[in-house]
Amino acid sequence: MNISELQKMNYFVFLTFGLFSSVVVLANTPMGKLELISNSAFEVRQNAESRGTQIYGIDHVMGNIQFYVRPGESAGAPLSWAPESRILESGVYRSLHGLTWNWVHSSYSDPLYPGLHRFTTMFETEDQGFEFYGYASGVSEAASHSLAIAFIEQLRRAGNGRSLTDQFIGKKYYLGFGDDLSGFMGNEVKYDIDHTHNIFTSQLGGEYDGTKVISESGGAELKKYWSSLREQMTFHDMYVQYSSGHGYQQGLAFGVTYNQIRDATLALPAKEVVIFIMACHSGGLVDSFNAKKAAWENWGKWKRTLFVLASSKISETSSTGPGKDPDEPNGPSGSAGSAFGHALWKALIGYADGYGSGVKDGFISIGEIIDFSIYKTKQVGGHTPVYTGVYSREMVMNRVPTELEIAALGPSTEGLSDSQIADQIRDLDNLFRVR
């Protein structure tokens, strides 16, 4: 890709070759002015924005960096620690480019893997009316510290930059589909789909264009949708899919096999394809993708993302959820979603924040979704989610919503009477039904 192509895409990335370094503008008007002077040791994997905060995911052979820029003075600390984190040391560092950084080292004891410790170095500064902050992750305290210092030393004040993505010229598509079931399981399917739909189609998750298909046998409708999407989609686009319902070792009762799901989604030219699936034996979809690994294992070379997360191994059934959500005790039976759908919903609304790194930054990454969903699904349902793909664990999928934003996501049942709840479920049935 040449310079003109990058500029057409509005990426604030300027590349030179030979003896020169590349310069990545990590913050530009109106976000501020800061540059990363990179000799290709640091590679920007993600450039996103949410509510005025610019987000950069940066890879390095020693580990990874999450870096944030936000304008104005904050009401509180931009980062905090997960309960399992232990503060090791703190101090102040002045870089060669004249920026003074506060830093803190911590270790994190992973509750999912007892005995596994991860190390992070958090750093922050204020300059030109903006807050610049982030953290480096490494296999040891020394490694995270060295990576943080190496990164800080590459940052300077600038002269007269996907999932949750800024400077984005493509389109974003969300598809949710599932069985048109009645009673308790029907509610679980509808709430599973509605929860993810309402996150990703809102500003919290990137404002995807949303489509939902609920049917007794919607395979034909689904294939028609994929075919139409394939014709209109471009390489710049992004795609998130969530399905919920009954499954067996080769596919879904909805009317599609795992191989058909795999082939249809691999045929989409999107830069980013993210798939969540809740069904008994849904690990069969992961196995299906892995059986055709040659078709996608090199996606990373073209900066493409594929991520597939299934609710259970192919040998396992997937469980119903807790019935009612403890955070919404007046909801109808099934409103908590399935065990996996409940875990994923909780991950997306903030329970997963800090679960992978020990640092609570207000954003949810793929790695945090993986770790928390596995933990919570096993706790609630007793089965183990499985996953595959070519992706970065640090890629940000959504911002953590406030309590008011969660309440506004709907369909909230808090405080409603039984008859009002029944009316709401009927509305969901009518809304989701294929016509």
Side-chain angles (χ1 to χ4, degrees), residues 198-267:
N198 291 345
I199 281 285
F200 290 112
T201 59
S202 72
Q203 189 274 339
L204 294 165
E207 297 181 319
Y208 286 67
D209 290 339
T211 298
K212 292 179 283 192
V213 179
I214 305 291
S215 175
E216 286 292 348
S217 182
E221 182 81 10
L222 186 58
K223 293 169 190 174
K224 181 179 177 181
Y225 172 85
W226 280 327
S227 178
S228 174
L229 190 60
R230 185 168 60 249
E231 292 176 0
Q232 62 184 292
M233 186 175 275
T234 74
F235 178 74
H236 304 297
D237 297 339
M238 296 155 62
Y239 179 72
V240 171
Q241 176 178 298
Y242 183 92
S243 61
S244 181
H246 292 309
Y248 57 102
Q249 281 82 353
Q250 286 76 43
L252 300 179
F254 189 79
V256 288
T257 67
Y258 294 138
N259 286 351
Q260 288 173 330
I261 296 174
R262 176 201 66 196
D263 293 343
T265 51
L266 285 180

Coordinates of all heavy atoms in Angstrom, one line a residue, residues 198-267:
N198 N -27.7 -4.7 20.7 CA -27.8 -3.3 21.3 C -26.5 -2.7 21.7 O -26.3 -1.5 21.7 CB -28.8 -3.3 22.4 CG -30.2 -3.6 22.0 OD1 -30.6 -3.4 20.8 ND2 -31.1 -3.9 23.0
I199 N -25.5 -3.6 22.0 CA -24.2 -3.1 22.2 C -23.5 -2.6 20.9 O -23.0 -1.5 20.8 CB -23.3 -4.2 22.9 CG1 -23.6 -4.3 24.4 CG2 -21.8 -3.9 22.7 CD1 -23.1 -3.2 25.2
F200 N -23.5 -3.5 19.9 CA -22.7 -3.2 18.7 C -23.4 -2.2 17.8 O -22.7 -1.5 17.0 CB -22.4 -4.5 18.0 CG -21.4 -5.4 18.7 CD1 -21.8 -6.6 19.2 CD2 -20.1 -5.0 18.8 CE1 -20.9 -7.4 19.9 CE2 -19.2 -5.7 19.5 CZ -19.6 -6.9 20.1
T201 N -24.7 -2.1 17.8 CA -25.4 -1.1 17.0 C -25.4 0.3 17.7 O -25.9 1.3 17.1 CB -26.8 -1.5 16.6 OG1 -27.6 -1.7 17.8 CG2 -26.8 -2.8 15.8
S202 N -25.0 0.4 18.9 CA -24.9 1.7 19.6 C -23.5 2.3 19.5 O -22.6 1.6 19.0 CB -25.3 1.5 21.1 OG -24.2 0.9 21.8
Q203 N -23.3 3.5 20.0 CA -22.0 4.1 19.9 C -21.0 3.3 20.8 O -19.8 3.4 20.5 CB -22.1 5.6 20.4 CG -20.9 6.4 20.3 CD -19.9 6.3 21.4 OE1 -20.2 5.8 22.5 NE2 -18.6 6.6 21.2
L204 N -21.5 2.6 21.8 CA -20.6 1.8 22.7 C -19.8 0.8 21.9 O -18.6 0.6 22.3 CB -21.5 1.1 23.7 CG -22.3 1.9 24.7 CD1 -23.3 1.0 25.4 CD2 -21.4 2.5 25.7
G205 N -20.3 0.2 20.9 CA -19.6 -0.8 20.2 C -19.3 -0.5 18.7 O -18.9 -1.4 18.0
G206 N -19.5 0.7 18.3 CA -19.1 1.1 16.9 C -20.2 1.4 16.0 O -20.0 1.7 14.8
E207 N -21.5 1.4 16.4 CA -22.6 1.8 15.6 C -22.7 1.0 14.3 O -22.7 1.5 13.2 CB -22.6 3.3 15.3 CG -22.7 4.1 16.5 CD -22.6 5.6 16.2 OE1 -21.8 6.0 15.4 OE2 -23.4 6.4 16.9
Y208 N -22.8 -0.4 14.5 CA -23.0 -1.3 13.3 C -24.4 -1.2 12.8 O -25.3 -0.9 13.6 CB -22.7 -2.7 13.7 CG -21.3 -3.1 14.0 CD1 -20.5 -2.5 15.0 CD2 -20.6 -4.0 13.1 CE1 -19.2 -2.9 15.2 CE2 -19.3 -4.3 13.3 CZ -18.6 -3.8 14.4 OH -17.3 -4.1 14.5
D209 N -24.6 -1.4 11.5 CA -25.9 -1.6 11.0 C -26.4 -2.9 11.4 O -25.8 -4.0 11.1 CB -25.9 -1.5 9.4 CG -25.6 0.0 8.9 OD1 -25.8 0.9 9.7 OD2 -25.2 0.1 7.8
G210 N -27.6 -3.0 12.1 CA -28.1 -4.2 12.7 C -29.2 -4.9 11.9 O -30.1 -4.3 11.4
T211 N -29.1 -6.3 11.8 CA -30.1 -7.1 11.2 C -30.3 -8.3 12.1 O -29.4 -8.9 12.6 CB -29.7 -7.6 9.8 OG1 -29.5 -6.5 8.9 CG2 -30.8 -8.5 9.2
K212 N -31.6 -8.6 12.4 CA -31.9 -9.8 13.3 C -32.9 -10.7 12.5 O -33.9 -10.2 11.9 CB -32.6 -9.3 14.6 CG -31.6 -8.5 15.5 CD -32.2 -8.1 16.8 CE -33.1 -6.8 16.5 NZ -33.5 -6.2 17.8
V213 N -32.7 -12.0 12.6 CA -33.5 -13.0 11.9 C -33.8 -14.0 12.9 O -33.0 -14.7 13.4 CB -32.8 -13.6 10.7 CG1 -33.7 -14.7 10.1 CG2 -32.4 -12.6 9.7
I214 N -35.1 -14.1 13.3 CA -35.6 -15.2 14.2 C -36.6 -16.0 13.4 O -37.6 -15.4 12.9 CB -36.2 -14.6 15.5 CG1 -35.3 -13.6 16.2 CG2 -36.7 -15.7 16.4 CD1 -34.1 -14.3 16.8
S215 N -36.5 -17.3 13.4 CA -37.4 -18.1 12.6 C -37.3 -19.6 13.0 O -36.3 -20.0 13.6 CB -37.0 -18.0 11.1 OG -37.8 -18.9 10.3
E216 N -38.4 -20.3 12.7 CA -38.3 -21.8 13.0 C -37.3 -22.4 12.1 O -36.6 -23.4 12.5 CB -39.7 -22.4 12.7 CG -40.8 -22.1 13.8 CD -40.4 -22.7 15.1 OE1 -39.6 -23.6 15.2 OE2 -41.1 -22.4 16.1
S217 N -37.2 -22.0 10.8 CA -36.2 -22.6 9.9 C -35.8 -21.5 8.9 O -36.4 -21.3 7.8 CB -36.8 -23.8 9.1 OG -35.8 -24.3 8.3
G218 N -34.9 -20.6 9.4 CA -34.5 -19.4 8.6 C -33.3 -19.6 7.8 O -32.7 -18.6 7.4
G219 N -32.9 -20.9 7.5 CA -31.7 -21.1 6.7 C -31.7 -20.4 5.4 O -30.8 -19.8 4.9
A220 N -32.9 -20.5 4.7 CA -33.0 -19.9 3.3 C -32.9 -18.3 3.4 O -32.2 -17.7 2.6 CB -34.3 -20.2 2.7
E221 N -33.5 -17.8 4.5 CA -33.4 -16.3 4.7 C -32.0 -15.9 5.0 O -31.5 -14.9 4.5 CB -34.4 -15.9 5.8 CG -34.4 -14.4 6.1 CD -35.4 -13.7 5.2 OE1 -36.1 -14.3 4.5 OE2 -35.3 -12.5 5.3
L222 N -31.3 -16.7 5.8 CA -30.0 -16.4 6.2 C -29.0 -16.4 5.0 O -28.2 -15.6 4.8 CB -29.5 -17.4 7.2 CG -28.2 -17.1 7.9 CD1 -28.1 -15.8 8.6 CD2 -27.9 -18.2 8.9
K223 N -29.1 -17.5 4.2 CA -28.3 -17.6 3.0 C -28.5 -16.4 2.0 O -27.6 -15.9 1.4 CB -28.5 -18.9 2.3 CG -28.1 -20.1 3.1 CD -28.6 -21.4 2.6 CE -28.4 -22.6 3.5 NZ -29.0 -23.9 3.0
K224 N -29.8 -16.0 1.9 CA -30.1 -14.9 1.0 C -29.4 -13.6 1.6 O -28.9 -12.8 0.8 CB -31.6 -14.7 1.0 CG -32.1 -13.5 0.1 CD -33.6 -13.4 0.1 CE -34.1 -12.2 -0.7 NZ -35.6 -12.1 -0.7
Y225 N -29.4 -13.4 2.9 CA -28.8 -12.3 3.5 C -27.3 -12.3 3.2 O -26.7 -11.3 2.8 CB -29.0 -12.2 5.0 CG -28.2 -11.2 5.7 CD1 -28.7 -9.9 5.8 CD2 -27.0 -11.5 6.3 CE1 -27.9 -8.9 6.5 CE2 -26.2 -10.5 7.0 CZ -26.7 -9.2 7.1 OH -26.0 -8.3 7.7
W226 N -26.6 -13.4 3.5 CA -25.2 -13.5 3.2 C -24.8 -13.2 1.8 O -23.8 -12.6 1.5 CB -24.7 -15.0 3.6 CG -24.5 -15.2 5.0 CD1 -24.1 -14.3 6.0 CD2 -24.6 -16.4 5.7 NE1 -24.0 -14.8 7.2 CE2 -24.3 -16.2 7.1 CE3 -25.0 -17.7 5.4 CZ2 -24.3 -17.1 8.1 CZ3 -25.1 -18.7 6.3 CH2 -24.7 -18.4 7.7
S227 N -25.6 -13.8 0.8 CA -25.4 -13.6 -0.6 C -25.5 -12.1 -0.9 O -24.6 -11.5 -1.7 CB -26.4 -14.4 -1.4 OG -26.2 -14.1 -2.8
S228 N -26.5 -11.4 -0.4 CA -26.6 -10.0 -0.7 C -25.5 -9.2 -0.1 O -25.0 -8.2 -0.7 CB -28.0 -9.5 -0.1 OG -28.1 -8.1 -0.2
L229 N -25.1 -9.6 1.2 CA -24.0 -8.9 1.8 C -22.7 -9.0 1.1 O -21.9 -8.1 1.0 CB -23.9 -9.4 3.3 CG -23.0 -8.6 4.2 CD1 -23.5 -7.2 4.4 CD2 -22.9 -9.4 5.6
R230 N -22.5 -10.2 0.6 CA -21.2 -10.5 -0.1 C -21.1 -9.6 -1.4 O -20.0 -9.1 -1.7 CB -21.1 -11.9 -0.6 CG -19.8 -12.3 -1.2 CD -19.7 -13.8 -1.3 NE -20.8 -14.4 -2.1 CZ -21.7 -15.2 -1.7 NH1 -21.8 -15.5 -0.4 NH2 -22.7 -15.7 -2.5
E231 N -22.2 -9.3 -2.0 CA -22.2 -8.4 -3.2 C -21.9 -7.0 -2.9 O -21.3 -6.2 -3.7 CB -23.5 -8.6 -3.9 CG -23.8 -9.9 -4.5 CD -25.1 -10.1 -5.2 OE1 -25.9 -9.1 -5.1 OE2 -25.5 -11.2 -5.7
Q232 N -22.3 -6.5 -1.7 CA -22.2 -5.1 -1.4 C -21.0 -4.8 -0.5 O -20.6 -3.6 -0.4 CB -23.5 -4.6 -0.7 CG -23.8 -5.2 0.6 CD -25.1 -4.8 1.2 OE1 -25.3 -3.6 1.6 NE2 -26.1 -5.6 1.2
M233 N -20.4 -5.8 0.1 CA -19.4 -5.6 1.1 C -18.0 -5.3 0.4 O -17.8 -5.8 -0.7 CB -19.3 -6.8 2.0 CG -18.3 -6.6 3.2 SD -18.3 -8.1 4.3 CE -19.7 -7.6 5.4
T234 N -17.2 -4.5 1.0 CA -15.8 -4.2 0.5 C -14.8 -4.7 1.6 O -15.1 -5.0 2.7 CB -15.6 -2.7 0.2 OG1 -15.5 -2.0 1.5 CG2 -16.8 -2.2 -0.5
F235 N -13.5 -4.6 1.2 CA -12.4 -5.0 2.0 C -12.3 -4.1 3.2 O -11.7 -4.4 4.3 CB -11.1 -5.0 1.2 CG -9.9 -5.3 2.1 CD1 -9.6 -6.6 2.5 CD2 -9.0 -4.3 2.5 CE1 -8.5 -6.9 3.2 CE2 -7.9 -4.6 3.2 CZ -7.6 -5.9 3.6
H236 N -12.9 -2.9 3.2 CA -12.8 -1.9 4.3 C -13.8 -2.2 5.4 O -13.8 -1.5 6.4 CB -13.0 -0.5 3.8 CG -12.0 -0.1 2.7 ND1 -10.6 -0.1 2.9 CD2 -12.2 0.2 1.4 CE1 -10.0 0.3 1.8 NE2 -11.0 0.4 0.8
D237 N -14.8 -3.1 5.1 CA -15.9 -3.2 6.0 C -15.6 -4.2 7.2 O -14.6 -4.9 7.2 CB -17.1 -3.8 5.3 CG -17.6 -2.8 4.2 OD1 -17.2 -1.6 4.3 OD2 -18.2 -3.2 3.2
M238 N -16.5 -4.2 8.2 CA -16.4 -5.0 9.4 C -17.7 -5.7 9.6 O -18.8 -5.2 9.3 CB -16.1 -4.1 10.6 CG -14.7 -3.5 10.4 SD -14.6 -1.9 11.4 CE -14.8 -2.6 13.0
Y239 N -17.6 -6.9 10.2 CA -18.8 -7.8 10.3 C -18.8 -8.5 11.7 O -17.8 -9.1 12.0 CB -18.8 -8.8 9.2 CG -20.0 -9.8 9.2 CD1 -21.3 -9.4 8.9 CD2 -19.8 -11.2 9.5 CE1 -22.3 -10.3 8.9 CE2 -20.8 -12.1 9.5 CZ -22.1 -11.6 9.2 OH -23.1 -12.5 9.2
V240 N -19.9 -8.4 12.4 CA -20.1 -9.1 13.7 C -21.3 -10.0 13.5 O -22.4 -9.5 13.1 CB -20.2 -8.2 14.9 CG1 -20.6 -9.0 16.1 CG2 -18.9 -7.5 15.1
Q241 N -21.3 -11.2 13.9 CA -22.4 -12.2 13.8 C -22.6 -12.9 15.2 O -21.6 -13.3 15.8 CB -22.1 -13.2 12.7 CG -23.2 -14.3 12.6 CD -22.9 -15.2 11.5 OE1 -22.8 -14.8 10.3 NE2 -22.7 -16.5 11.8
Y242 N -23.8 -12.9 15.6 CA -24.2 -13.7 16.9 C -25.4 -14.6 16.6 O -26.4 -14.1 16.0 CB -24.5 -12.7 18.0 CG -24.8 -13.5 19.3 CD1 -23.8 -13.8 20.2 CD2 -26.0 -14.0 19.6 CE1 -24.0 -14.5 21.4 CE2 -26.3 -14.8 20.7 CZ -25.2 -15.0 21.6 OH -25.5 -15.8 22.7
S243 N -25.3 -15.8 16.9 CA -26.4 -16.7 16.7 C -26.7 -17.5 18.0 O -25.8 -17.8 18.8 CB -26.2 -17.7 15.6 OG -25.0 -18.5 15.8
S244 N -28.0 -17.8 18.2 CA -28.4 -18.5 19.5 C -29.5 -19.5 19.1 O -30.4 -19.1 18.4 CB -28.8 -17.5 20.5 OG -29.2 -18.1 21.7
G245 N -29.4 -20.7 19.7 CA -30.5 -21.6 19.4 C -30.0 -23.1 19.6 O -28.9 -23.3 20.1
H246 N -30.8 -24.0 19.0 CA -30.4 -25.4 19.1 C -29.4 -25.8 18.1 O -29.3 -25.3 17.0 CB -31.7 -26.3 18.9 CG -32.7 -26.2 20.1 ND1 -32.3 -26.4 21.4 CD2 -34.0 -26.0 20.0 CE1 -33.4 -26.2 22.1 NE2 -34.4 -26.0 21.3
G247 N -28.5 -26.8 18.5 CA -27.5 -27.2 17.6 C -27.2 -28.7 17.7 O -27.6 -29.3 18.7
Y248 N -26.5 -29.2 16.8 CA -26.0 -30.6 16.8 C -24.6 -30.6 16.3 O -24.0 -29.6 16.0 CB -26.9 -31.5 16.0 CG -27.1 -31.1 14.6 CD1 -26.5 -31.8 13.6 CD2 -28.0 -30.1 14.2 CE1 -26.6 -31.4 12.2 CE2 -28.2 -29.7 12.9 CZ -27.5 -30.4 11.9 OH -27.7 -30.1 10.6
Q249 N -24.0 -31.8 16.1 CA -22.5 -31.9 15.8 C -22.2 -31.3 14.5 O -21.0 -30.9 14.2 CB -22.0 -33.3 15.9 CG -21.8 -33.8 17.3 CD -23.0 -34.3 18.0 OE1 -24.2 -34.1 17.5 NE2 -22.9 -34.9 19.2
Q250 N -23.1 -31.2 13.5 CA -22.8 -30.8 12.2 C -23.4 -29.4 11.9 O -23.1 -28.8 10.8 CB -23.3 -31.8 11.1 CG -22.5 -33.0 11.0 CD -22.8 -34.0 12.1 OE1 -24.0 -34.2 12.5 NE2 -21.7 -34.6 12.7
G251 N -24.3 -28.9 12.7 CA -24.9 -27.6 12.4 C -26.0 -27.2 13.3 O -26.1 -27.6 14.5
L252 N -26.8 -26.3 12.9 CA -27.9 -25.6 13.7 C -29.3 -26.1 13.2 O -29.5 -26.2 12.0 CB -27.8 -24.1 13.6 CG -26.5 -23.5 14.1 CD1 -26.5 -22.0 13.9 CD2 -26.2 -23.9 15.5
A253 N -30.2 -26.2 14.2 CA -31.6 -26.5 13.9 C -32.2 -25.3 13.1 O -33.2 -25.5 12.4 CB -32.4 -26.7 15.2
F254 N -31.6 -24.2 13.1 CA -32.0 -23.0 12.4 C -32.1 -23.3 10.9 O -32.8 -22.7 10.1 CB -31.1 -21.9 12.6 CG -31.5 -20.5 12.1 CD1 -32.5 -19.8 12.8 CD2 -31.0 -20.0 10.9 CE1 -32.9 -18.6 12.3 CE2 -31.4 -18.8 10.4 CZ -32.4 -18.1 11.1
G255 N -31.3 -24.3 10.4 CA -31.3 -24.7 9.0 C -30.0 -24.4 8.2 O -30.0 -24.4 7.0
V256 N -28.9 -24.3 8.9 CA -27.6 -24.2 8.3 C -26.6 -25.1 9.0 O -26.7 -25.3 10.2 CB -27.1 -22.7 8.3 CG1 -27.9 -21.9 7.3 CG2 -27.1 -22.2 9.7
T257 N -25.7 -25.7 8.2 CA -24.6 -26.5 8.8 C -23.5 -25.6 9.2 O -23.4 -24.4 8.7 CB -24.1 -27.5 7.8 OG1 -23.5 -26.8 6.7 CG2 -25.3 -28.4 7.3
Y258 N -22.5 -26.1 10.0 CA -21.4 -25.3 10.3 C -20.5 -25.0 9.1 O -19.9 -23.9 9.0 CB -20.5 -26.1 11.4 CG -21.3 -26.2 12.7 CD1 -21.2 -27.4 13.4 CD2 -22.0 -25.2 13.3 CE1 -21.9 -27.6 14.6 CE2 -22.7 -25.3 14.5 CZ -22.6 -26.6 15.1 OH -23.3 -26.7 16.3
N259 N -20.4 -26.0 8.2 CA -19.6 -25.7 7.0 C -20.2 -24.6 6.2 O -19.5 -23.8 5.5 CB -19.5 -27.0 6.1 CG -18.6 -28.0 6.7 OD1 -17.9 -27.7 7.7 ND2 -18.6 -29.2 6.2
Q260 N -21.6 -24.5 6.1 CA -22.2 -23.4 5.4 C -22.0 -22.1 6.0 O -21.7 -21.1 5.3 CB -23.7 -23.7 5.3 CG -24.1 -24.8 4.3 CD -25.5 -25.2 4.4 OE1 -26.2 -25.1 5.4 NE2 -26.0 -25.7 3.2
I261 N -22.0 -22.0 7.4 CA -21.7 -20.8 8.1 C -20.3 -20.4 7.8 O -20.0 -19.2 7.5 CB -21.9 -20.9 9.6 CG1 -23.4 -21.2 9.9 CG2 -21.4 -19.7 10.3 CD1 -23.6 -21.5 11.4
R262 N -19.4 -21.4 7.9 CA -17.9 -21.1 7.6 C -17.7 -20.6 6.2 O -17.1 -19.5 6.0 CB -17.1 -22.4 7.8 CG -15.7 -22.3 7.5 CD -15.1 -23.7 7.2 NE -15.7 -24.3 6.0 CZ -15.6 -25.6 5.7 NH1 -14.9 -26.4 6.5 NH2 -16.1 -26.0 4.6
D263 N -18.2 -21.3 5.2 CA -18.0 -20.9 3.8 C -18.6 -19.5 3.5 O -18.0 -18.7 2.8 CB -18.5 -21.9 2.9 CG -17.7 -23.2 3.0 OD1 -16.6 -23.2 3.5 OD2 -18.2 -24.3 2.5
A264 N -19.8 -19.2 4.1 CA -20.5 -18.0 3.8 C -19.7 -16.8 4.4 O -19.6 -15.7 3.8 CB -21.9 -18.0 4.3
T265 N -19.2 -17.0 5.6 CA -18.5 -15.8 6.3 C -17.1 -15.7 5.7 O -16.6 -14.6 5.7 CB -18.5 -16.0 7.8 OG1 -18.1 -17.3 8.1 CG2 -19.9 -15.8 8.3
L266 N -16.4 -16.8 5.4 CA -15.1 -16.6 4.8 C -15.2 -16.0 3.4 O -14.2 -15.4 2.9 CB -14.4 -18.0 4.7 CG -13.9 -18.6 6.0 CD1 -13.2 -20.0 5.7 CD2 -12.9 -17.7 6.6
A267 N -16.3 -16.1 2.7 CA -16.5 -15.5 1.4 C -16.7 -14.0 1.5 O -16.6 -13.3 0.5 CB -17.7 -16.1 0.7

